[in-house]
Amino acid sequence: MTQPKHIAEGETAEQHAAFEARIQRREKIEPGDWMPAEYRRQLIRMISQHAHSEVVGMLPEGEWIDKAPTLKRKTILMAKVQDEAGHGQYLYHAAETLGATREDMIEALLTRRAKYSSIFNYPTHNWADVGMIGWLVDGAAIKNQTMLAGCSYGPYSRAMVRICSEETFHHKQGKEMIVLYAQGTPEQRQMAQDALNRWWWPALMMLGPHDADSPNTGVLSQWGIKLKTNDEVRQEFLNEHAPELLEAGLTIPDPDLHQDAAGNWVHGPIDWSEFWAVIKGEQGLGNERLATRQAAQDEGAWVREALEAYMNRAAKGEAAD
Ligand code: FAQ
């Protein structure tokens, strides 16, 4: 007899019904609680990919730390990049509560078994890209993550609360920087516009395929992991950011952009072939990003070995300095 969808071998319809009832009551699911295997698999997939995104996300902006125009901007950028490393750590820990191991997650990233956000495969060409990442990329991430802060899995939702408060600072510093440049010298205005021209479409894409093409949204919504669909989050992002960018005096690179009768901003067609090519590493910097992560993994091997040796000695009760 074939099992109904999402009921794995060894699971019963009664267990699923009790689990669904907890979701309906908006109870948080905690690590030791019974959960469907598919709920666990989906969470590990999504949380580990989120963790990889934070870690790979350090690379495009990290390149600009030693090129920042002032000490103030350098300090802000260093703090931001360091925050992303911390977010990666919280998220790897959240995935570990579900039984995923760090080694397997890193291996999945490096062998492309796991994805990370398409947005971080785009290059940073000028200093305003740093501001535009803060304004648009953190802006899109916050819309998504504020929603995930209400998700049904306790450790993920709690990690999101802290991450969102830090991302809010990132968003504000990016917006402040771009608004300043948009009102600055002709060269500064051009730099801000170039950055918008390059980051606008990738920022819309990073919120995922349209709902009709999103295979995971159905079950994620059913189990209270996603409280809004990809298109709903994209609409929120668009409604906030389109008028603010226009007010800053910038031109959004979409001739079809308009507001509908209900006041919602409507974008033109998204080039999803670019999105998939960027994810696969056929376009953009995917291969370079993974090579950089592989090098970091190789160069850090001695630290992991030293830690393991220390832990083994400590377990035997041998004193270690
Ligand atoms: N890039 O069925 P759906 C940040 C994949 S953090 C690559 O719609 P789902 C902070 C998706 O994995 C940014 N792949 O998937 C920061 C699936 O493939 P799979 C990351 C993508 O999960 C700021 C397939 O397409 N945020 O920016 C992308 O329901 C500045 C079908 O898609 C998170 O990860 C994409 N953009 O919805 C850091 C938040 N979109 O896995 C530094 C958590 C989709 O089946 C600087 N994740 N795919 O092989 C989520 O909310 C969801 O996973 C979505 C995708 C909304 C990303």
Side-chain angles (χ1 to χ4, degrees), residues 131-149:
M132 204 53 83
I133 290 176
W135 195 357
L136 298 189
V137 178
D138 284 276
I142 290 168
K143 291 284 178 220
N144 191 40
Q145 292 171 179
T146 310
M147 175 266 285
L148 292 173

Side-chain angles (χ1 to χ4, degrees), residues 45-46 49-50 53-54 57-58 61 80 84 115-120 133 137-138 141 144-145 147-148 156 167 205-209 213-217 220 226 230 275-276 279:
R45 175 190 70 83
M46 199 167 138
Q49 294 189 167
H50 193 170
S53 302
E54 298 281 355
M58 296 160 72
E61 291 172 289
K80 180 178 193 290
E84 313 299 357
K115 297 184 172 71
Y116 59 87
S117 184
S118 50
I119 195 81
F120 303 117
I133 290 176
V137 178
D138 284 276
N144 191 40
Q145 292 171 179
M147 175 266 285
L148 292 173
Y156 194 28
E167 305 273 37
M205 290 177 200
M206 75 177 269
L207 293 163
D213 302 315
S214 164
N216 298 298
T217 294
L220 292 176
K226 264 187 181 178
N230 297 355
F275 173 76
W276 293 112
I279 290 173

Side-chain angles (χ1 to χ4, degrees), residues 6-34:
H6 304 312
I7 301 192
E9 202 65 37
E11 294 177 355
T12 64
E14 290 71 29
Q15 283 173 317
H16 272 256
F19 180 80
E20 304 267 354
R22 292 193 65 191
I23 300 287
Q24 292 303 317
R25 291 195 296 271
R26 294 180 179 270
E27 285 177 25
K28 292 288 180 208
I29 309 300
E30 297 297 339
D33 296 350
W34 187 88

